[in-house]
Amino acid sequence: MSKRILAISILAIASFFIACNDKSDVKPDVEQMQSAMPKTVPIVKVDPFVAPAEPVITQDQAHKYVKASAALVELGVSWSKKIEEAREGEKVQILDAYNVARDQLCARIGLAGIAEYNWITEVALPNPRNIPFFEAAGLKK
């Protein structure tokens, strides 16, 4: 059930940030198009992340990290085609929207955005004291 909610949330975020392209329409100038498009506004509040003094996580953080990892892979797959097919002027805007979507996804799962996810990846994951938490959450090295 939570996978469906997550999938629907990801699709909603993606559809919010990317408009359908119709090849038959006359395309406006890139600058006009960028100024006319809505600015990305986060849907959920992303708490600021402050790295703890000790690089030890909780079991709950490990579960959230594993869930976020799987969801971020799916998000990356769904956005990669849009990024590859975008025209040069659109790529920056799509990449910005993708970064917001990653932050939103992590916040919806319960992390303090992509900043906490990155901290866990770079600092907590290599820490041997966290191995039991990650293994219990289903992450194997």
Side-chain angles (χ1 to χ4, degrees):
M1 183 69 170
S2 65
K3 284 188 177 184
R4 285 187 179 172
I5 292 171
L6 181 61
I8 290 170
S9 298
I10 291 170
L11 289 174
I13 291 169
S15 64
F16 177 78
F17 292 116
I18 298 187
C20 296
N21 283 334
D22 188 3
K23 303 283 188 233
S24 63
D25 288 345
V26 176
K27 301 293 181 188
D29 182 57
V30 173
E31 289 180 27
Q32 290 174 344
M33 183 181 70
Q34 288 178 343
S35 64
M37 293 183 86
K39 305 296 180 217
T40 57
V41 178
I43 298 169
V44 296
K45 183 179 181 287
V46 179
D47 296 325
F49 176 69
V50 177
E54 289 289 318
V56 179
I57 62 167
T58 64
Q59 185 64 57
D60 185 50
Q61 281 177 301
H63 280 290
K64 290 175 183 176
Y65 176 81
V66 169
K67 189 183 285 189
S69 293
L72 285 169
V73 169
E74 289 182 33
L75 184 70
V77 169
S78 67
W79 279 70
S80 64
K81 186 174 181 180
K82 300 273 187 205
I83 293 168
E84 288 173 11
E85 293 175 351
R87 292 181 296 171
E88 201 58 41
E90 297 172 328
K91 284 188 181 190
V92 171
Q93 195 167 25
I94 292 173
L95 286 170
D96 287 343
Y98 172 64
N99 287 331
V100 171
R102 291 173 63 217
D103 209 28
Q104 286 289 298
L105 184 141
C106 290
R108 286 185 180 276
I109 289 175
L111 298 174
I114 196 72
E116 183 176 4
Y117 177 86
N118 289 337
W119 177 84
I120 293 172
T121 301
E122 296 165 7
V123 179
L125 190 59
N127 186 340
R129 294 183 351 200
N130 293 322
I131 291 174
F133 299 124
F134 286 118
E135 287 179 350
L139 184 69
K140 305 282 185 212
K141 283 192 173 187

